[in-house]
Amino acid sequence: MINNNLKVFVKVAENLSITETAKELYISQPAVSNAIKNLEKELSLKLFHRDKRVGLHLTDGGEKYFTLQDKWRTLKTESIRQHSVKTISWADESELHLCLLFLL
């Protein structure tokens, strides 16, 4: 469940909008809000500040967590890319097809 909550968190942090995130992820607004609340509860950290005048924005802790998640996604992507290059460089044709399916 935490993976779904992380995906929702990253989208909300990028959009700074629960409505836009709900549209992009094809889920309801209450589902987005619940995912954020559940993640905040799991982390014991308030990620967003909600203000009627200013709107939604990241707290200091939320900003740090978003940066951490962004770095993790970059490392994960680079790791997958490096693994794929190694697989392609040492693969016969059948392994190459499996590698491409993995990336899709």
Side-chain angles (χ1 to χ4, degrees):
M1 190 65 158
I2 194 165
N3 284 337
N4 287 335
N5 293 346
L6 288 175
K7 181 180 178 179
V8 171
F9 165 72
V10 168
K11 280 293 179 189
V12 173
E14 290 172 348
N15 296 334
L16 294 178
S17 169
I18 290 175
T19 303
E20 288 302 314
T21 299
K23 287 179 185 177
E24 283 184 29
L25 297 178
Y26 300 103
I27 59 177
S28 68
Q29 290 179 17
V32 172
S33 294
N34 287 336
I36 297 300
K37 286 178 187 174
N38 289 339
L39 186 59
E40 288 176 333
K41 187 175 181 179
E42 288 178 51
L43 298 172
S44 299
L45 176 68
K46 187 170 174 128
L47 300 169
F48 292 96
H49 181 70
R50 297 153 183 94
D51 188 315
K52 291 183 182 182
R53 289 182 291 128
V54 181
L56 187 70
H57 62 276
L58 288 164
T59 62
D60 289 340
E63 191 74 48
K64 289 176 185 174
Y65 192 68
F66 178 67
T67 302
L68 178 69
Q69 289 303 313
D70 191 45
K71 286 180 182 178
W72 182 82
R73 286 186 302 157
T74 301
L75 288 173
K76 183 178 173 186
T77 302
E78 288 176 8
S79 176
I80 289 170
R81 193 176 299 129
Q82 287 174 354
H83 175 73
S84 300
V85 169
K86 287 178 185 175
T87 302
I88 290 169
S89 65
W90 294 100
D92 63 45
E93 190 173 290
S94 62
E95 289 176 326
L96 178 61
H97 290 292
L98 290 174
C99 178
L100 292 175
L101 287 173
F102 173 74
L103 290 174
L104 296 175

